[in-house]
Amino acid sequence: MALSSAPGKVYLFGEHAVVYGEPAVPCAIERRARVGVQRRDDGKLRVHAEDLSLDGFTVEYDGSTGNGPDVDVSESLLSAAMGYVDGAIEQVRDVTGEDEVGFDVTIESDIPLGAGLGSSAAVVVAAIDAATRELGVTLETAELAERAYRTEHMVQDGQASRADTFCSATGGAVRVEGDDCRSLEAPDLPIVIGFDGGAGDTGQLVAGVRDLRDEYDFAADTVGAIGDVVRNGEEALANGDVEELGRLMNFNHGLLSALGVSSRSLDTMVWAARDAGAHGAKLTGAGGGGCIVALDPTPETETALSFTPGCEDAFRAELTENGVTSLE
Ligand code: PMV
């Protein structure tokens, strides 16, 4: 049995625009997915998942028989989670040359699913790391990140950047522009997260931005403007200027909102954070529902969010330098 964990992330800047070659700066947070993998010689893939949402649920899924699970969670979310595990195992078979190998896979995660915190990337990164090690193969971090990216790219029908998977594999704050991925120095950021209990459909949201960008030059310019915000954000990060980071996050949220990927609950939480005195706040990830990220060194934002209608959970999240980690 091999066991690995990998962190989720928030986007400080640049989601959606990164799909069109602009830079993005995600940053890993201390909320992790843990994946245990045991080899099976009958070629079957069995997945046991727990706590894939903050409420938690348990599912047994037999990938070889297609027996549906019986759980209280939306079908599409669940099949998405299982699709990521199937895809990760396909990469493992490919990179190790063990085409017929099967696995028992156990997933435990404290990252809400599909909510902009990189739950799928964390599961994929930890699954590939654990499964390859279970077969006696240790991948370099760059190779692991690349294989995890290919998994997301395949599962999301070609609509994925390298941002989530690279960040989860390496930990820390990173900068991703096309296939150029690197780590950044970052100060300890006072990150607060608000979660509306929901999830967005990444594929649909990405397609919506693509259509707008194709139809209107000003939408293409908006995507380009996000790139400019990111470049300014990198400088603020390097200078440890948290106030400037917040201002730029506010700007980034406005541009994402113009592209149609915010929602009433995300906007409500963003404004609650700003009213509570946060340096800045924005949605994180694909949007449509899920999480916002705010910067506030005081307890005010977390408290205000926990009383905000539509905010199901508010919590602080430490930036973590620990990317994928082998647990045994
Ligand atoms: O919601 P998440 O954490 O899967 O992030 C999606 C980010 C996008 O830029 C919209 C898509 C991508 O793959 O970069």
Side-chain angles (χ1 to χ4, degrees), residues 9 11 14-19 114-120 152 156 159-164 202 206 284-287:
K9 60 101 227 321
Y11 272 93
E15 56 272 86
H16 284 286
V18 69
V19 175
L117 299 185
S119 56
S120 57
E152 287 220 317
Q156 293 169 200
Q159 307 198 94
S161 70
R162 289 178 160 77
D164 283 26
T202 303
V206 170
T284 170

Side-chain angles (χ1 to χ4, degrees), residues 39 133 184 226 243 249 315 326:
R39 181 190 184 114
R133 286 190 307 102
L184 296 177
I226 292 178
E243 281 184 26
M249 284 166 66
F315 51 92
S326 309

Side-chain angles (χ1 to χ4, degrees), residues 93-251:
R93 289 178 177 140
D94 183 59
V95 75
T96 59
E98 297 223 31
D99 302 339
E100 307 287 323
V101 70
F103 295 102
D104 279 319
V105 177
T106 304
I107 305 170
E108 250 183 61
S109 172
D110 39 44
I111 312 166
L113 258 184
L117 299 185
S119 56
S120 57
V123 166
V124 168
V125 165
I128 295 178
D129 186 61
T132 46
R133 286 190 307 102
E134 172 72 359
L135 300 180
V137 174
T138 305
L139 299 181
E140 296 287 330
T141 309
E143 171 80 13
L144 173 61
E146 178 63 23
R147 293 279 169 176
Y149 160 67
R150 286 189 208 168
T151 306
E152 287 220 317
H153 193 262
M154 186 198 69
V155 179
Q156 293 169 200
D157 292 330
Q159 307 198 94
S161 70
R162 289 178 160 77
D164 283 26
T165 38
F166 182 75
C167 185
S168 184
T170 60
V174 306
R175 178 192 201 274
V176 172
E177 183 172 3
D179 58 8
D180 178 22
C181 305
R182 52 186 75 179
S183 294
L184 296 177
E185 290 293 323
D188 210 7
L189 296 171
I191 297 172
V192 180
I193 291 172
F195 175 41
D196 70 4
D201 181 329
T202 303
Q204 242 175 42
L205 290 153
V206 170
V209 172
R210 173 156 308 184
D211 290 349
L212 276 180
R213 194 173 158 270
D214 288 345
E215 190 171 354
Y216 300 110
D217 286 347
F218 55 78
D221 292 345
T222 304
V223 169
I226 292 178
D228 292 337
V229 172
V230 179
R231 284 179 276 273
N232 280 273
E234 279 175 66
E235 220 176 288
L237 199 62
N239 296 334
D241 187 344
V242 180
E243 281 184 26
E244 176 69 357
L245 282 173
R247 256 195 306 276
L248 293 166
M249 284 166 66
N250 284 337
F251 212 109

